[in-house]
């Protein structure tokens, strides 16, 4: 059963990939032919609509969630920015670069000129995609194994387990994509996460350390336009509101259930606190906690509000059970594949042994005697 589901998902992936390539060929041609503005937006709307319905081609939460995040959120926002003549997409780039830039969280290597934010140390040089794959690939099976004891865990222990699962799953997914894109196309991933456990403020956590693909797309599409008209606080609140609504949309894609509103409240709360934090920081003489206190306070606030509003929305909808069931199915598929490969290897070795190894076997036996 699990094998049939995975075969169906990979078949859908091939069809979706072909549709995305065709759509982006059209989008690139339209953007190159039309000036930014209403005509270009009208021409790109069919591609936007396609990106919004693509996740429904998949039956598993893993494929639906990834396609919704990459296409229905990031891809749609990139297309809307392209319609306005802004953003990371450029119709003068080669087609394959244009397609991957639109459909995955990647950017061209020669365009990667961003410098580390002030006060944030660059990531260690040895923190490569291969290392992240190895670490996440080792930790995730342990987390899945631990799920069988979930009935004996407290609510907070279970939520901590879910937090680790999300963190390492995101790290594994993006590290795999980074390795493929970097090696094959000479492109590099947009920053993913930068040690969020060192965040000393909400601005530091959301703007410089956690899931950085999202603020990278929300800044030009929401924050800056609103800030230019209504001020910095309004821009921050608008960005967090849009982020909350898009997270609700992602949950809908994954679980096929209407949003509860709790996730939007979570991000609005963080938006209000982040705006207040920025207002306080503008007063040079006002007290600020030392970093040794700011880091645990920040993490405690993020974790506490997450346990209160974010994770309960997932648990009540049964997302944890769905993900666990799919992980167990994937483990079963890998076990079947491993047994098949082992059987095929043994069969090949046993077939070739009499003809190719008989002479060595006799001489080895004589030598041993």
């Amino acid at each position: 059963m699990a094998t049939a589901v995975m075969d169906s998902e990979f078949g859908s992936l091939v069809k979706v990939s072909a549709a995305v390539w065709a759509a982006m060929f059209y989008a690139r041609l339209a953007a190159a032919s039309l000036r930014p503005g209403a005509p270009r937006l009208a021409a790109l709307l069919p591609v936007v609509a396609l990106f919004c319905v693509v996740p429904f081609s998949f039956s598993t939460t893993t494929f639906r969630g990834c396609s919704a995040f990459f296409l229905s959120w990031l891809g749609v926002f990139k297309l809307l920015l392209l319609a306005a003549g802004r953003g990371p997409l450029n119709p003068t780039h080669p087609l394959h670069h244009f397609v991957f830039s639109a459909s995955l969280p990647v950017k061209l290597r020669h365009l990667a000129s961003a410098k580390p934010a002030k006060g944030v140390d660059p990531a260690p040089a040895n923190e490569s995609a291969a290392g992240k794959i190895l670490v996440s690939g080792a930790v995730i099976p342990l987390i899945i194994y631990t799920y069988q004891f979930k009935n004996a865990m407290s609510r907070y222990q279970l939520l901590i387990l879910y937090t680790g699962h999300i963190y390492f799953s995101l790290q594994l997914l993006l590290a795999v994509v980074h390795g493929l894109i970097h090696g094959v196309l000479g492109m590099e991933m947009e920053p993913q996460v930068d040690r969020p456990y060192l965040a000393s403020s909400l601005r530091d956590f959301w703007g410089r350390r956690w899931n950085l693909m999202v603020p990278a797309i929300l800044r030009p599409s929401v924050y800056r336009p609103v800030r230019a008209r209504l001020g910095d606080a309004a821009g921050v609140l608008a960005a967090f509101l849009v982020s909350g609504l898009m997270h609700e949309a992602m949950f809908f894609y994954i679980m096929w259930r209407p949003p509860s509103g709790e996730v939007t409240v979570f991000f609005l709360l963080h938006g209000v606190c982040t705006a207040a934090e920025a207002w306080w920081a503008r007063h040079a003489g006002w007290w600020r906690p030392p970093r040794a206190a700011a880091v645990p306070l920040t993490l405690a606030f993020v974790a506490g509000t997450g346990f209160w509003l974010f994770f309960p929305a997932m648990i009540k909808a049964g997302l944890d059970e769905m993900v666990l069931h799919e992980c167990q199915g994937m483990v079963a598929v890998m076990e079947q594949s491993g047994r098949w490969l082992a059987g095929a290897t043994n069969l090949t070795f046993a077939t070739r042994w009499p003809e190719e190894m008989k002479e060595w076997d006799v001489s080895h036996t004589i030598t041993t005697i």
Side-chain angles (χ1 to χ4, degrees):
M1 181 64 179
T3 305
V5 171
M6 294 306 298
D7 288 344
S8 174
E9 292 295 83
F10 284 118
S12 298
L13 180 62
V14 172
K15 296 175 184 177
V16 165
S17 299
V20 168
W21 273 84
M24 296 317 300
F25 174 81
Y26 161 77
R28 177 171 172 267
L29 182 63
S33 305
L34 299 171
R35 287 176 157 235
R40 183 184 285 188
L41 175 62
L44 294 177
L45 283 179
V47 184
V48 170
L50 174 67
F51 277 19
C52 289
V53 301
V54 154
F56 297 115
S57 302
F58 301 104
S59 60
T60 61
T61 61
T62 302
F63 281 84
R64 273 203 315 273
C66 292
S67 60
F69 182 49
F70 290 166
L71 299 177
S72 304
W73 185 350
L74 299 181
V76 164
F77 275 58
K78 290 175 183 178
L79 288 171
L80 295 178
L81 286 171
L82 176 63
R86 302 198 302 270
L89 299 184
N90 189 332
T92 63
H93 290 163
L95 177 61
H96 62 288
H97 285 179
F98 186 84
V99 172
F100 283 100
S101 295
S103 57
L104 293 173
V106 299
K107 59 185 177 182
L108 295 176
R109 179 183 294 164
H110 66 271
L111 296 179
S113 58
K115 297 181 180 179
K118 184 179 179 181
V120 178
D121 296 330
N126 60 354
E127 193 176 34
S128 62
K132 293 178 180 178
I133 292 173
L134 290 174
V135 172
S136 300
V139 172
I140 291 176
L142 294 177
I143 294 176
I144 295 173
Y145 175 78
T146 307
Y147 277 135
Q148 64 181 312
F149 307 109
K150 61 181 295 185
N151 293 332
M153 296 182 185
S154 68
R155 180 172 179 265
Y156 291 103
Q157 288 174 326
L158 198 55
L159 291 174
I160 291 173
L161 194 65
Y162 293 149
T163 303
H165 196 166
I166 291 174
Y167 175 80
F168 286 106
S169 295
L170 180 65
Q171 181 170 266
L172 176 62
L173 170 67
L174 297 179
V176 169
V177 174
H178 173 270
L180 293 174
I181 296 299
H182 181 78
V184 176
L185 295 178
M187 303 174 74
E188 64 180 18
M189 292 282 292
E190 293 177 353
Q192 305 162 35
V193 293
D194 181 16
R195 296 161 292 171
Y197 46 83
L198 297 180
S200 59
S201 66
L202 291 177
R203 291 180 301 160
D204 188 24
F205 182 86
W206 292 114
R208 305 186 189 104
R209 294 190 180 276
W210 176 250
N211 202 6
L212 298 180
M213 296 169 294
V214 172
I217 204 68
L218 289 178
R219 283 191 192 100
S221 61
V222 179
Y223 170 71
R224 289 170 188 160
V226 175
R227 182 189 63 176
R229 291 167 175 80
L230 302 175
D232 184 74
V236 171
L237 289 175
F240 274 91
L241 173 61
V242 172
S243 180
L245 294 174
M246 293 308 300
H247 275 83
E248 298 274 14
M250 296 302 101
F251 280 15
F252 172 74
Y253 277 117
I254 293 172
M255 297 178 286
W256 287 352
R257 295 189 181 183
S260 64
E262 291 173 298
V263 176
T264 301
V265 173
F266 169 82
F267 280 99
L268 274 177
L269 174 61
H270 278 253
V272 171
C273 294
T274 301
E277 187 182 81
W279 173 79
W280 185 279
R282 285 196 291 269
H283 298 79
W286 288 15
W287 175 84
R288 288 170 178 76
R291 183 175 180 83
V295 171
L297 286 174
T298 300
L299 297 181
F301 182 81
V302 173
T305 53
F307 291 170
W308 173 34
L309 293 168
F310 189 86
F311 289 107
M314 295 168 37
I315 296 171
K316 283 188 282 189
L319 178 59
D320 56 332
E321 296 290 346
M322 296 165 63
V323 172
L324 176 59
H325 178 72
E326 290 181 9
C327 289
Q328 291 172 338
M330 293 178 67
V331 170
V333 170
M334 288 188 288
E335 288 178 349
Q336 293 176 10
S337 301
R339 285 195 295 267
W340 181 85
L341 288 173
T345 302
N346 291 337
L347 178 61
T348 302
F349 184 75
T351 303
R352 297 178 59 186
W353 177 275
E355 290 80 10
E356 299 180 7
M357 304 299 292
K358 183 186 299 182
E359 188 174 324
W360 178 89
D361 184 51
V362 172
S363 60
H364 176 72
T365 304
I366 295 173
T367 305
T368 304
I369 295 173

